[in-house]
Amino acid sequence: MREVPMTIARKKEFELDHKRWSGGITTQLAIWPEDADYASRRFDWRISSAAVEDERSTFTPLPGVHRHIMTLGGEMTLTHEGIRTRMLKPLSDVEEFEGEWRTTSVGRCTDFNLMLRAGFRGRIAPLHAADVTTLPSAPSEVVWYGIYFTADAKATIRYDGYRAELSQERGDFVLISYRPRLCGDVTLSLSSSSSIPAVSAAVWRGI
């Protein structure tokens, strides 16, 4: 059977899974594997966004999970007890920490999260409309690349003569799954009236 170099899955904002938690509302954007279940902590990786409504919140303990977080709007000050305190500015600063740390936050905001189990690596970053972004070419069979739109935008994806154009609205999510050895270089460009119309989360297998 011929391998498919890339798949693109698109979800509108109303199709995403929104759940209330003690401090606000969490939106699950993507989770792996396909039969994963976050409630039972059975997953390899997860991409999500949360509206933090309480001024002070305590993070749920997640032993064995490496976390990445940034804010999309509003500021957040994170304190990892006995380790460090850091203030995150929106669409700029990224904090990495371990899920077993005792972590509290101060500040109402909307955040963007990536959670990784052992055996997976990744990163999150803002996407600027003026840039052409080259997606990770990791030594992995598959790379997952999630795009969460914070403003209306048109996304153009290119590789090896292939071109896809997607018109997305604020709150939409796109998950690109691709095989680096088949695609070669994959690039992404965004056109929008916003200077930072989206954020990204890349995930691949690694040690």
Side-chain angles (χ1 to χ4, degrees), residues 124-199:
I124 61 176
L127 292 172
H128 296 258
D131 295 345
V132 175
T133 301
T134 299
L135 276 57
S137 182
S140 175
E141 180 65 20
V142 178
V143 176
W144 297 270
Y145 192 86
I147 309 168
Y148 186 44
F149 289 85
T150 56
D152 297 354
K154 184 165 93 171
T156 302
I157 303 160
R158 294 184 177 91
Y159 74 88
D160 192 26
Y162 172 87
R163 174 189 174 107
E165 292 190 351
L166 314 175
S167 293
Q168 304 297 146
E169 297 177 334
R170 175 186 173 91
D172 291 353
F173 180 74
V174 173
L175 182 65
I176 305 169
S177 306
Y178 61 96
R179 299 177 183 274
R181 65 182 176 83
L182 298 179
C183 293
D185 289 339
V186 181
T187 63
L188 168 72
S189 58
L190 299 177
S191 175
S192 174
S193 60
S194 172
S195 61
I196 306 178
V199 289

Coordinates of all heavy atoms in Angstrom, one line a residue, residues 124-199:
I124 N 6.3 24.6 21.1 CA 5.2 25.5 20.7 C 5.8 26.9 20.4 O 6.8 27.3 20.9 CB 4.1 25.6 21.8 CG1 4.7 26.2 23.1 CG2 3.4 24.3 22.0 CD1 3.6 26.4 24.2
A125 N 5.1 27.6 19.5 CA 5.6 28.9 19.1 C 4.5 29.8 18.4 O 3.5 29.2 17.9 CB 6.7 28.7 18.1
P126 N 4.6 31.1 18.5 CA 3.7 31.9 17.7 C 4.0 31.9 16.2 O 5.2 31.6 15.9 CB 3.9 33.3 18.3 CG 5.4 33.3 18.8 CD 5.6 31.9 19.2
L127 N 3.0 32.1 15.4 CA 3.2 32.2 13.9 C 2.9 33.6 13.5 O 1.8 34.1 13.6 CB 2.3 31.2 13.2 CG 2.6 29.7 13.5 CD1 1.5 28.8 12.9 CD2 4.0 29.3 12.9
H128 N 3.9 34.2 12.8 CA 3.8 35.6 12.4 C 3.4 35.6 10.9 O 3.9 34.8 10.1 CB 5.2 36.3 12.5 CG 5.6 36.5 13.9 ND1 5.5 37.6 14.6 CD2 6.1 35.6 14.8 CE1 5.9 37.5 15.9 NE2 6.3 36.2 16.0
A129 N 2.5 36.5 10.6 CA 2.0 36.5 9.2 C 3.0 36.9 8.2 O 2.9 36.5 7.0 CB 0.8 37.5 9.1
A130 N 4.1 37.6 8.6 CA 5.1 38.0 7.6 C 6.1 36.9 7.3 O 7.0 37.1 6.4 CB 5.8 39.2 8.1
D131 N 6.1 35.8 8.1 CA 7.1 34.8 8.0 C 6.7 33.6 7.1 O 5.6 33.2 7.0 CB 7.5 34.2 9.4 CG 8.1 35.3 10.2 OD1 8.5 36.4 9.7 OD2 8.2 35.1 11.5
V132 N 7.7 32.9 6.5 CA 7.6 31.6 5.9 C 8.2 30.6 6.9 O 9.4 30.7 7.2 CB 8.2 31.5 4.6 CG1 8.1 30.0 4.0 CG2 7.5 32.4 3.6
T133 N 7.4 29.7 7.5 CA 7.9 28.8 8.5 C 8.2 27.4 7.9 O 7.4 26.9 7.2 CB 6.8 28.6 9.6 OG1 6.6 29.9 10.2 CG2 7.3 27.6 10.7
T134 N 9.4 26.9 8.1 CA 9.8 25.6 7.7 C 9.4 24.6 8.9 O 9.9 24.8 10.0 CB 11.2 25.5 7.4 OG1 11.5 26.4 6.3 CG2 11.6 24.0 6.9
L135 N 8.5 23.7 8.6 CA 8.1 22.7 9.6 C 9.3 21.8 10.0 O 10.2 21.5 9.2 CB 6.9 22.0 9.2 CG 5.5 22.7 9.4 CD1 5.5 24.0 8.7 CD2 4.4 21.8 8.9
P136 N 9.3 21.2 11.2 CA 10.4 20.4 11.7 C 10.6 19.2 10.7 O 9.6 18.5 10.3 CB 9.9 19.9 13.1 CG 9.0 21.0 13.5 CD 8.2 21.4 12.3
S137 N 11.8 18.9 10.4 CA 12.2 17.7 9.7 C 12.9 16.8 10.6 O 14.1 16.5 10.5 CB 13.0 18.1 8.5 OG 13.4 16.9 7.7
A138 N 12.2 16.3 11.6 CA 12.7 15.5 12.7 C 13.0 14.0 12.2 O 12.4 13.6 11.2 CB 11.8 15.4 13.9
P139 N 14.0 13.3 12.8 CA 14.2 11.9 12.5 C 13.2 11.0 13.0 O 13.4 10.2 13.9 CB 15.6 11.7 13.1 CG 15.7 12.6 14.3 CD 14.9 13.8 13.8
S140 N 12.0 11.2 12.6 CA 10.8 10.5 13.1 C 9.9 10.1 11.9 O 9.9 10.8 10.8 CB 10.0 11.5 14.0 OG 8.8 10.9 14.4
E141 N 9.3 9.0 12.0 CA 8.4 8.5 10.9 C 7.3 9.5 10.6 O 7.0 9.7 9.4 CB 7.8 7.1 11.3 CG 6.9 6.5 10.2 CD 7.7 6.2 8.9 OE1 8.9 6.0 8.9 OE2 7.0 6.0 7.9
V142 N 6.7 10.1 11.7 CA 5.6 11.0 11.5 C 5.9 12.2 12.4 O 6.4 12.1 13.5 CB 4.3 10.4 11.9 CG1 3.2 11.4 11.7 CG2 4.0 9.2 11.0
V143 N 5.6 13.4 11.8 CA 5.6 14.6 12.6 C 4.2 15.2 12.6 O 3.5 15.2 11.6 CB 6.6 15.7 12.1 CG1 6.4 17.0 12.8 CG2 8.0 15.2 12.1
W144 N 3.7 15.6 13.8 CA 2.4 16.2 13.9 C 2.6 17.7 14.1 O 3.4 18.1 14.9 CB 1.6 15.6 15.0 CG 1.2 14.2 14.9 CD1 0.1 13.6 14.4 CD2 2.0 13.1 15.5 NE1 0.2 12.3 14.5 CE2 1.3 11.9 15.1 CE3 3.2 13.0 16.1 CZ2 1.8 10.7 15.5 CZ3 3.7 11.8 16.5 CH2 3.0 10.6 16.2
Y145 N 1.8 18.5 13.4 CA 2.0 20.0 13.5 C 0.6 20.6 13.6 O -0.2 20.6 12.6 CB 2.7 20.5 12.3 CG 3.2 21.9 12.4 CD1 4.4 22.2 13.0 CD2 2.4 23.0 11.9 CE1 4.9 23.5 13.1 CE2 2.9 24.3 12.0 CZ 4.1 24.6 12.6 OH 4.6 25.9 12.7
G146 N 0.3 21.1 14.8 CA -1.0 21.7 15.0 C -1.0 23.2 14.9 O 0.0 23.8 15.4
I147 N -2.0 23.8 14.3 CA -2.1 25.3 14.2 C -3.4 25.7 14.8 O -4.5 25.3 14.3 CB -2.0 25.7 12.7 CG1 -0.8 25.1 12.0 CG2 -2.0 27.2 12.6 CD1 -0.9 25.2 10.5
Y148 N -3.3 26.6 15.8 CA -4.5 27.1 16.4 C -4.6 28.6 16.1 O -3.7 29.4 16.3 CB -4.4 26.9 17.9 CG -5.6 27.3 18.7 CD1 -6.9 26.9 18.3 CD2 -5.5 28.0 19.9 CE1 -8.1 27.3 19.0 CE2 -6.7 28.4 20.6 CZ -7.9 28.0 20.2 OH -9.0 28.3 20.9
F149 N -5.7 28.9 15.4 CA -5.9 30.3 14.9 C -6.5 31.2 15.9 O -7.6 31.0 16.4 CB -6.8 30.2 13.6 CG -6.1 29.6 12.4 CD1 -6.1 28.2 12.3 CD2 -5.4 30.4 11.5 CE1 -5.4 27.6 11.2 CE2 -4.7 29.8 10.5 CZ -4.7 28.4 10.3
T150 N -5.8 32.3 16.2 CA -6.2 33.4 17.1 C -6.8 34.5 16.3 O -7.3 35.5 16.9 CB -5.1 33.8 17.9 OG1 -4.0 34.3 17.1 CG2 -4.5 32.7 18.8
A151 N -6.8 34.4 15.0 CA -7.4 35.5 14.1 C -7.8 34.8 12.8 O -7.2 33.7 12.4 CB -6.5 36.6 13.9
D152 N -8.6 35.4 12.0 CA -8.9 34.9 10.6 C -7.7 34.9 9.8 O -6.9 35.9 9.9 CB -10.0 35.7 10.0 CG -11.4 35.6 10.7 OD1 -11.5 34.9 11.6 OD2 -12.3 36.4 10.3
A153 N -7.4 33.9 9.0 CA -6.2 33.9 8.2 C -6.3 32.9 7.1 O -7.2 32.0 7.1 CB -5.0 33.5 9.1
K154 N -5.5 33.0 6.1 CA -5.3 32.1 5.0 C -4.0 31.4 5.2 O -2.9 32.1 5.3 CB -5.4 32.7 3.6 CG -5.4 31.7 2.5 CD -5.9 32.2 1.2 CE -4.7 32.8 0.4 NZ -5.2 33.2 -1.0
A155 N -4.0 30.1 5.2 CA -2.7 29.3 5.4 C -2.4 28.7 4.1 O -3.2 28.1 3.4 CB -2.9 28.3 6.5
T156 N -1.1 28.7 3.7 CA -0.6 28.1 2.5 C 0.5 27.1 2.9 O 1.5 27.4 3.6 CB 0.0 29.1 1.5 OG1 -1.0 30.0 1.1 CG2 0.5 28.4 0.2
I157 N 0.3 25.8 2.6 CA 1.2 24.7 2.9 C 1.8 24.2 1.6 O 1.1 23.9 0.6 CB 0.5 23.6 3.6 CG1 -0.2 24.1 4.9 CG2 1.4 22.4 4.0 CD1 -1.4 23.2 5.4
R158 N 3.2 24.1 1.6 CA 3.9 23.6 0.4 C 4.9 22.6 0.7 O 5.5 22.6 1.7 CB 4.6 24.8 -0.3 CG 3.7 25.9 -0.8 CD 4.6 26.9 -1.6 NE 3.8 28.0 -2.2 CZ 3.5 29.1 -1.6 NH1 3.8 29.3 -0.3 NH2 2.8 30.0 -2.3
Y159 N 5.0 21.6 -0.2 CA 6.2 20.6 -0.2 C 6.2 20.0 -1.5 O 5.2 19.6 -2.1 CB 6.0 19.6 0.9 CG 5.0 18.5 0.7 CD1 5.3 17.3 0.0 CD2 3.7 18.7 1.1 CE1 4.4 16.4 -0.2 CE2 2.7 17.7 0.9 CZ 3.1 16.5 0.2 OH 2.1 15.6 0.0
D160 N 7.4 19.8 -2.1 CA 7.7 19.1 -3.3 C 6.7 19.2 -4.4 O 6.2 18.2 -4.9 CB 7.9 17.6 -2.9 CG 8.5 16.7 -4.0 OD1 9.2 17.3 -4.8 OD2 8.2 15.5 -4.0
G161 N 6.4 20.5 -4.7 CA 5.4 20.7 -5.8 C 3.9 20.7 -5.3 O 3.1 21.1 -6.1
Y162 N 3.7 20.3 -4.1 CA 2.3 20.2 -3.6 C 2.0 21.6 -2.9 O 2.9 22.2 -2.3 CB 2.2 19.1 -2.5 CG 0.8 19.1 -1.8 CD1 -0.3 18.5 -2.3 CD2 0.7 19.8 -0.5 CE1 -1.5 18.4 -1.5 CE2 -0.5 19.8 0.2 CZ -1.5 19.1 -0.3 OH -2.7 19.1 0.3
R163 N 0.7 22.0 -3.1 CA 0.3 23.3 -2.5 C -1.1 23.2 -2.0 O -2.0 22.7 -2.8 CB 0.5 24.4 -3.5 CG -0.1 25.8 -3.0 CD -0.1 26.8 -4.2 NE -0.7 28.0 -3.9 CZ -0.1 29.2 -3.7 NH1 1.3 29.2 -3.9 NH2 -0.7 30.3 -3.4
A164 N -1.4 23.6 -0.8 CA -2.7 23.6 -0.2 C -3.0 25.0 0.4 O -2.1 25.5 1.1 CB -2.9 22.5 0.8
E165 N -4.2 25.5 0.1 CA -4.5 26.8 0.7 C -5.8 26.6 1.5 O -6.8 26.0 1.0 CB -4.8 27.8 -0.4 CG -3.5 28.2 -1.2 CD -3.7 29.4 -2.1 OE1 -4.9 29.8 -2.2 OE2 -2.8 30.0 -2.6
L166 N -5.7 27.0 2.8 CA -6.8 26.9 3.7 C -7.3 28.2 4.2 O -6.4 29.0 4.7 CB -6.4 26.0 4.9 CG -5.6 24.7 4.6 CD1 -5.1 24.1 5.9 CD2 -6.4 23.7 3.8
S167 N -8.5 28.5 4.2 CA -9.1 29.7 4.8 C -9.7 29.3 6.1 O -10.6 28.5 6.2 CB -10.2 30.3 3.9 OG -9.6 30.8 2.7
Q168 N -9.1 29.9 7.2 CA -9.5 29.6 8.6 C -10.0 30.8 9.3 O -9.6 31.9 9.0 CB -8.3 28.9 9.3 CG -7.7 27.7 8.6 CD -8.7 26.5 8.5 OE1 -8.6 25.8 7.5 NE2 -9.6 26.4 9.5
E169 N -10.9 30.5 10.3 CA -11.4 31.6 11.1 C -10.8 31.5 12.6 O -10.3 30.4 13.0 CB -12.9 31.5 11.2 CG -13.6 31.7 9.8 CD -15.1 31.6 9.9 OE1 -15.6 30.9 10.8 OE2 -15.8 32.1 9.1
R170 N -10.9 32.6 13.3 CA -10.5 32.6 14.7 C -11.1 31.4 15.4 O -12.3 31.2 15.3 CB -10.9 33.9 15.3 CG -10.6 34.0 16.8 CD -11.1 35.3 17.4 NE -11.0 35.4 18.8 CZ -10.0 35.9 19.5 NH1 -8.9 36.4 18.8 NH2 -9.9 35.9 20.8
G171 N -10.3 30.7 16.2 CA -10.8 29.6 17.0 C -10.7 28.2 16.3 O -11.0 27.2 16.9
D172 N -10.4 28.2 15.0 CA -10.3 27.0 14.2 C -8.9 26.3 14.6 O -8.0 27.0 15.0 CB -10.3 27.2 12.7 CG -11.7 27.7 12.2 OD1 -12.6 27.6 13.0 OD2 -11.7 28.0 11.0
F173 N -8.9 25.0 14.3 CA -7.6 24.2 14.5 C -7.4 23.3 13.3 O -8.3 22.7 12.8 CB -7.8 23.4 15.8 CG -6.5 22.6 16.1 CD1 -5.4 23.2 16.6 CD2 -6.5 21.2 15.9 CE1 -4.3 22.4 16.9 CE2 -5.4 20.5 16.2 CZ -4.3 21.1 16.7
V174 N -6.1 23.3 12.9 CA -5.7 22.4 11.8 C -4.5 21.5 12.3 O -3.6 22.0 13.0 CB -5.2 23.3 10.6 CG1 -4.6 22.4 9.5 CG2 -6.3 24.1 10.0
L175 N -4.6 20.2 12.0 CA -3.6 19.3 12.4 C -3.0 18.7 11.1 O -3.7 18.0 10.4 CB -4.1 18.2 13.3 CG -3.0 17.2 13.8 CD1 -2.0 17.9 14.7 CD2 -3.6 16.0 14.5
I176 N -1.7 19.0 10.9 CA -1.0 18.4 9.7 C -0.2 17.3 10.2 O 0.6 17.4 11.2 CB -0.1 19.5 9.1 CG1 -0.8 20.8 8.7 CG2 0.7 18.9 7.9 CD1 0.0 21.9 8.4
S177 N -0.3 16.1 9.6 CA 0.5 14.9 9.9 C 1.3 14.6 8.7 O 0.7 14.4 7.6 CB -0.4 13.7 10.3 OG -1.3 14.1 11.4
Y178 N 2.6 14.6 8.8 CA 3.4 14.3 7.6 C 4.6 13.4 7.9 O 5.0 13.3 9.0 CB 3.8 15.7 7.0 CG 4.7 16.5 7.8 CD1 6.1 16.5 7.7 CD2 4.2 17.4 8.8 CE1 6.9 17.3 8.5 CE2 5.0 18.2 9.6 CZ 6.3 18.1 9.5 OH 7.1 18.9 10.3
R179 N 5.1 12.8 6.8 CA 6.2 11.9 6.9 C 7.4 12.7 6.2 O 7.5 12.8 5.0 CB 6.0 10.6 6.1 CG 4.8 9.9 6.7 CD 4.5 8.6 5.9 NE 3.3 7.9 6.4 CZ 3.3 7.1 7.4 NH1 4.5 6.7 8.0 NH2 2.2 6.5 7.9
P180 N 8.4 13.1 7.1 CA 9.5 13.9 6.5 C 10.3 13.3 5.4 O 10.7 13.9 4.5 CB 10.4 14.1 7.8 CG 9.4 14.0 8.9 CD 8.4 13.0 8.5
R181 N 10.5 11.9 5.5 CA 11.3 11.3 4.5 C 10.6 11.3 3.1 O 11.2 11.1 2.1 CB 11.6 9.9 4.9 CG 10.5 8.9 5.0 CD 10.9 7.5 5.5 NE 9.8 6.7 5.7 CZ 9.2 6.0 4.8 NH1 9.6 6.0 3.5 NH2 8.2 5.2 5.0
L182 N 9.3 11.4 3.1 CA 8.5 11.5 1.8 C 8.3 12.9 1.3 O 8.2 13.2 0.1 CB 7.2 10.7 2.0 CG 7.2 9.3 2.3 CD1 5.8 8.7 2.4 CD2 8.0 8.5 1.3
C183 N 8.1 13.8 2.3 CA 7.8 15.2 1.9 C 9.0 16.1 1.6 O 8.9 17.0 0.9 CB 6.9 15.8 3.1 SG 5.3 15.1 3.3
G184 N 10.1 15.8 2.3 CA 11.2 16.8 2.2 C 10.8 18.0 3.0 O 10.1 17.9 4.1
D185 N 11.2 19.2 2.6 CA 10.9 20.4 3.3 C 9.4 20.8 3.2 O 8.9 20.8 2.1 CB 11.8 21.6 2.8 CG 13.2 21.4 3.2 OD1 13.5 20.7 4.2 OD2 14.1 22.1 2.6
V186 N 8.8 21.0 4.3 CA 7.4 21.5 4.3 C 7.4 22.9 4.8 O 8.0 23.2 5.9 CB 6.5 20.6 5.2 CG1 5.1 21.1 5.2 CG2 6.6 19.2 4.8
T187 N 6.8 23.8 4.1 CA 6.7 25.2 4.6 C 5.3 25.7 4.7 O 4.3 25.2 4.1 CB 7.4 26.2 3.6 OG1 6.7 26.1 2.3 CG2 8.9 25.8 3.4
L188 N 5.1 26.7 5.6 CA 3.8 27.2 6.0 C 3.9 28.7 5.9 O 4.8 29.3 6.5 CB 3.4 26.8 7.3 CG 2.2 27.5 8.0 CD1 0.9 27.1 7.3 CD2 2.1 27.2 9.5
S189 N 3.0 29.4 5.3 CA 2.9 30.9 5.3 C 1.4 31.3 5.6 O 0.5 30.6 5.2 CB 3.4 31.5 4.0 OG 2.6 31.0 2.9
L190 N 1.3 32.4 6.3 CA 0.0 32.8 6.7 C -0.3 34.2 6.2 O 0.6 35.1 6.2 CB -0.2 32.8 8.3 CG 0.0 31.5 9.0 CD1 -0.1 31.7 10.5 CD2 -1.1 30.5 8.5
S191 N -1.5 34.5 5.8 CA -1.9 35.8 5.3 C -3.1 36.2 6.2 O -4.1 35.5 6.3 CB -2.3 35.8 3.9 OG -2.8 37.1 3.5
S192 N -2.9 37.4 6.9 CA -3.9 37.8 7.8 C -3.8 39.3 8.1 O -2.7 39.9 7.9 CB -3.8 37.1 9.1 OG -4.7 37.5 10.1
S193 N -4.9 39.9 8.6 CA -4.8 41.3 9.0 C -4.1 41.4 10.4 O -3.7 42.5 10.8 CB -6.2 42.0 9.1 OG -7.0 41.2 10.0
S194 N -4.0 40.3 11.1 CA -3.3 40.2 12.4 C -1.8 39.9 12.2 O -1.5 39.0 11.3 CB -3.9 39.2 13.3 OG -3.2 39.0 14.4
S195 N -0.9 40.5 12.9 CA 0.5 40.2 12.8 C 0.9 38.8 13.3 O 1.8 38.2 12.8 CB 1.3 41.3 13.5 OG 1.0 41.3 14.9
I196 N 0.1 38.3 14.3 CA 0.3 37.0 14.8 C -1.0 36.3 14.8 O -1.8 36.3 15.8 CB 0.9 37.0 16.2 CG1 2.2 37.8 16.3 CG2 1.2 35.6 16.7 CD1 2.8 37.9 17.6
P197 N -1.4 35.7 13.7 CA -2.8 35.1 13.6 C -2.9 33.7 14.1 O -4.1 33.2 14.1 CB -3.0 35.1 12.1 CG -1.7 35.0 11.5 CD -0.7 35.7 12.4
A198 N -1.8 33.1 14.6 CA -1.9 31.7 15.0 C -0.8 31.3 15.9 O 0.3 32.0 15.9 CB -2.0 30.7 13.8
V199 N -0.9 30.2 16.6 CA 0.2 29.6 17.3 C 0.3 28.1 16.9 O -0.6 27.5 16.3 CB 0.0 29.6 18.8 CG1 0.1 31.1 19.3 CG2 -1.4 29.1 19.2

